[in-house]
């Protein structure tokens, strides 16, 4: 695992037994997220995450734009398959909402409707980043702390459809496959295959990413891997109305589970 030092911005690799306590950043990609670290337009965001980690007495942080070697297919594959674990094992997660200003009147007047305008709630990868961490704090665009996840749990349930108990720490793996799929029904990814890859950790499966295979093939592979590990028949409870041309047993995308995305306080168990 590669981590970024929070003060000297040095990236260092650690083997499993030697991984130190670390913070982790959840964010949406903007302009110039790659290239020289200090020259990116996104540098203030990354700098803000590091500064907050220092305040929390954490020397290391994991940030996907800095700590994944995207020139190495092996490193990229390992990171994609380990992403859920990276967030779950972090000391704390900082969710940076780049399009939210917590000082505005709309935020204080109607937090739910203002928060749900954030792009962060529409992205595929941020689903597991919301669920996996043991502790998560939301920040606005200027790195002003908004609230911890548990403090916004009721609002987050209304926005995402994820049961409040899960947002307060209950294992998502107690929820059946169809319900977990429904949480991703309205989310999108930049690379089409990521619609499947971003869900691997949420279903405790691993598979090699094959960019170029297409979204449908990637999602079918994901479901096949789920079936190898689980006898949960709810994987077949997708809605044909969303896929009128699909005559197979498996869905072509998470959108087919949209009708199950009803906010509630508990999990529909397996």
């Amino acid at each position: 695992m590669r981590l970024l030092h929070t003060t000297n911005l040095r990236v260092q690799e650690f083997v499993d037994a030697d991984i130190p306590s670390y913070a982790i950043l959840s964010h949406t990609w903007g302009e110039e997220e790659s290239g020289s670290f200090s020259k990116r337009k996104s540098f203030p965001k990354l700098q803000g995450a590091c500064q907050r980690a220092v305040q929390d007495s954490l020397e290391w942080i994991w940030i996907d734009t800095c700590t994944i070697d995207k020139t190495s297919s092996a490193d990229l594959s390992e990171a994609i398959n380990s992403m859920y674990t990276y967030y779950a094992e972090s000391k704390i997660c900082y969710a940076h909402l780049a399009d939210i200003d917590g000082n505005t009147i709309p935020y204080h007047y109607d937090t739910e409707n203002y928060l749900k305008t954030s792009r962060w709630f529409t992205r595929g990868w941020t689903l597991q980043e919301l669920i996996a961490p043991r502790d998560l704090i939301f920040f606005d665009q200027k790195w002003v702390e908004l609230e911890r996840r548990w403090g916004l749990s009721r609002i987050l349930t209304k926005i995402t459809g994820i049961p409040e108990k899960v947002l307060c720490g209950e294992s998502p793996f107690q929820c059946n496959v169809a319900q977990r799929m429904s949480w991703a029904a309205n989310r999108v990814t930049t690379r089409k295959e990521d619609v499947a890859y971003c869900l691997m950790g949420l279903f405790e499966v691993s598979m090699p990413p094959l960019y170029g295979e297409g979204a449908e093939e990637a999602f079918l592979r994901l479901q096949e891997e789920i079936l190898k590990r689980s006898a949960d028949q709810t994987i077949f409870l997708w809605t044909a109305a969303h896929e009128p041309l699909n005559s197979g047993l498996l869905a072509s995308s998470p959108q087919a589970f949209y009708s199950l995305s009803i906010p509630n306080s508990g999990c529909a168990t397996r």
Side-chain angles (χ1 to χ4, degrees):
M1 182 182 195
R2 289 152 54 93
L3 294 170
L4 180 72
H5 196 275
T6 54
T7 55
N8 62 29
L9 306 184
R10 168 177 53 88
V11 175
Q12 182 172 326
E13 188 161 357
F14 295 89
V15 296
D16 291 347
D18 298 324
I19 296 175
S21 293
Y22 62 93
I24 198 163
L25 175 65
S26 175
H27 67 117
T28 54
W29 283 43
E31 293 184 75
E32 295 186 14
E33 293 284 0
S34 59
S36 176
F37 185 80
S38 61
K39 295 181 180 179
R40 303 176 191 177
K41 287 186 177 180
S42 62
F43 181 66
K45 172 178 61 179
L46 308 180
Q47 189 178 41
C50 289
Q51 290 173 347
R52 176 61 195 226
V54 170
Q55 291 179 33
D56 290 333
S57 301
L58 291 167
E59 190 177 1
W60 300 94
I61 189 170
W62 191 90
I63 302 176
D64 56 357
T65 54
C66 308
T67 51
I68 300 176
D69 182 1
K70 297 177 183 63
T71 65
S72 167
S73 58
D75 193 70
L76 180 60
S77 179
E78 178 183 357
I80 289 175
N81 278 277
S82 303
M83 199 83 72
Y84 191 95
T85 300
Y86 289 171
Y87 279 87
E89 295 184 350
S90 65
K91 185 75 171 178
I92 191 166
C93 176
Y94 307 133
H96 182 254
L97 309 183
D99 47 8
I100 293 294
D101 183 351
N103 289 321
T104 62
I105 292 177
Y107 176 80
H108 296 284
Y109 180 73
D110 191 353
T111 303
E112 177 188 338
N113 285 323
Y114 193 52
L115 271 183
K116 71 181 182 182
T117 64
S118 176
R119 182 170 174 263
W120 190 89
F121 290 103
T122 70
R123 309 305 297 173
W125 287 106
T126 56
L127 173 59
Q128 65 177 2
E129 295 166 14
L130 171 62
I131 294 171
R134 66 188 81 177
D135 191 10
L136 181 147
I137 306 176
F138 286 97
F139 294 87
D140 75 358
Q141 58 190 219
K142 299 175 183 176
W143 280 98
V144 174
E145 182 175 333
L146 299 176
E147 182 61 272
R148 275 181 151 79
R149 180 181 57 201
W150 63 266
L152 290 170
S153 58
R154 288 188 180 182
I155 288 175
L156 295 175
T157 290
K158 291 180 180 179
I159 293 173
T160 66
I162 301 169
E164 192 173 351
K165 289 183 178 180
V166 172
L167 296 170
C168 290
E170 186 174 287
S171 172
F173 307 126
Q174 297 301 312
C175 299
N176 66 44
V177 168
Q179 188 174 17
R180 279 178 277 166
M181 284 291 187
S182 74
W183 303 340
N186 289 321
R187 292 175 180 261
V188 297
T189 56
T190 300
R191 302 192 71 169
K192 54 188 178 181
E193 293 85 359
D194 282 342
V195 72
Y197 304 158
C198 71
L199 298 177
M200 290 193 291
L202 196 57
F203 293 98
E204 301 179 284
V205 302
S206 297
M207 63 185 196
L210 303 173
Y211 287 106
E213 67 176 326
E216 183 173 341
E217 183 61 32
F219 192 64
L220 290 174
R221 277 206 300 135
L222 172 70
Q223 293 169 93
E224 289 167 356
E225 291 299 320
I226 293 171
L227 287 170
K228 290 177 184 178
R229 291 182 53 90
S230 172
D232 186 345
Q233 299 297 298
T234 67
I235 194 171
F236 302 116
L237 295 180
W238 51 277
T239 306
H242 288 275
E243 300 186 355
L245 301 180
N246 184 353
S247 59
L249 289 176
L250 299 177
S252 300
S253 77
Q255 290 181 340
F257 294 88
Y258 173 78
S259 62
L260 299 173
S261 58
I262 302 172
N264 56 72
S265 59
C267 285
T269 55
R270 308 182 197 189

